[in-house]
Amino acid sequence: MSNVQSPKSCEEPTELWTLDLRLWTRLLRDGATGSTSGFGPEDEGSTPSPAAKNINSQIGTSILKGRNGGNKKMKLAEALILRADCQKRFAQLKSRLLANAKVQEGDQAAEEPKTLTAELEGVAAQLADLIKRINKTNSTIAFAGFGTISDALTDRDVLALRRAVYADLALTGALTQDRYTRSEVKYVRTIDVVDIQKRADELAKDYRELDARIQEFNWQTELI
């Protein structure tokens, strides 16, 4: 699949927007949850998470915009990390806003709702921009053997669904039945548990291989 290069500004040195891959590897979220290794949810408040702060120190003060006001160059994988951070910050801000919506008469709110609302709206704008650019990139960039990145993601997700069905089916079929009296109903298997489990393992392998390809490709693809 070919990479799409964002237009370069003649006023901006490329190195300002180029991140060291090792830095991003350290910042990459664990698993599918999007949590940063070493940081808990309590670190994901109204300000950028430790991961996002490290990112901003490398690519400038604005997460999404370049110095000339255009979209900042970044890899698709970087945008996915920032999206996860924005989603956590948004959830935290919502909780804090609701917690300060009412106070006892005579008391003051721990945090000013108007300030929290302004922060929430700012995060929401960043999140919307990221999601639009990620979706556009996924639906535009070709992915070898699958059409686009979106097609590959769809196939990967369906692989996970299929694998879960076969794994649950094998587990159900493998369960034994304890009969204490001869009058109890006896159940017999209608499936070959070994074959079903083998199929589940094959689908899990296909999922891992495709997911690894997608993750690698995300680091090679420029966000549109």
Side-chain angles (χ1 to χ4, degrees):
M1 181 168 19
S2 61
N3 290 340
V4 173
Q5 301 293 332
S6 300
K8 294 182 179 180
S9 168
C10 60
E11 301 176 356
E12 297 177 351
T14 303
E15 56 268 19
L16 284 176
W17 316 120
T18 302
L19 293 180
D20 190 303
L21 179 58
R22 290 172 297 179
L23 169 68
W24 278 102
T25 300
R26 292 196 300 270
L27 301 181
L28 189 62
R29 265 50 174 164
D30 293 331
T33 61
S35 62
T36 306
S37 179
F39 302 116
E42 64 275 7
D43 297 309
E44 306 287 349
S46 61
T47 56
S49 69
K53 288 180 180 178
N54 288 338
I55 292 168
N56 289 338
S57 69
Q58 296 293 322
I59 64 177
T61 56
S62 174
I63 294 179
L64 303 177
K65 299 298 180 182
R67 291 181 178 178
N68 62 353
N71 286 334
K72 180 169 293 182
K73 287 183 58 179
M74 68 176 72
K75 299 297 184 182
L76 176 57
E78 300 168 17
L80 293 171
I81 291 173
L82 290 174
R83 182 185 66 179
D85 183 77
C86 284
Q87 289 170 332
K88 290 189 176 184
R89 289 165 58 198
F90 189 90
Q92 284 275 336
L93 283 165
K94 175 185 174 182
S95 297
R96 291 162 57 190
L97 188 57
L98 295 179
N100 288 277
K102 292 190 300 184
V103 296
Q104 290 185 352
E105 186 177 1
D107 291 344
Q108 290 186 339
E111 297 182 272
E112 177 56 51
K114 289 184 179 180
T115 301
L116 292 175
T117 300
E119 292 182 31
L120 183 140
E121 291 295 339
V123 172
Q126 289 184 354
L127 181 58
D129 192 15
L130 277 170
I131 291 174
K132 290 175 184 177
R133 294 177 65 186
I134 289 169
N135 289 345
K136 185 176 181 180
T137 302
N138 286 342
S139 61
T140 302
I141 303 298
F143 190 91
F146 290 88
T148 64
I149 300 176
S150 292
D151 295 329
L153 292 170
T154 299
D155 286 355
R156 183 197 63 180
D157 292 345
V158 172
L159 279 171
L161 293 173
R162 293 167 61 200
R163 184 265 170 193
V165 171
Y166 283 99
D168 290 345
L169 183 59
L171 179 61
T172 301
L175 294 176
T176 59
Q177 175 191 6
D178 294 326
R179 297 177 68 209
Y180 298 99
T181 64
R182 297 182 64 180
S183 62
E184 289 186 61
V185 176
K186 181 179 181 179
Y187 293 93
V188 295
R189 295 188 183 93
T190 60
I191 60 172
D192 187 322
V193 174
V194 174
D195 286 346
I196 295 297
Q197 184 60 57
K198 181 179 179 182
R199 183 57 178 152
D201 293 341
E202 291 173 347
L203 290 170
K205 179 175 179 292
D206 291 343
Y207 175 91
R208 290 193 301 270
E209 291 176 350
L210 178 55
D211 185 63
R213 282 187 58 195
I214 292 172
Q215 300 307 324
E216 179 182 8
F217 192 78
N218 286 346
W219 286 108
Q220 301 169 357
T221 303
E222 293 288 345
L223 186 70
I224 295 177

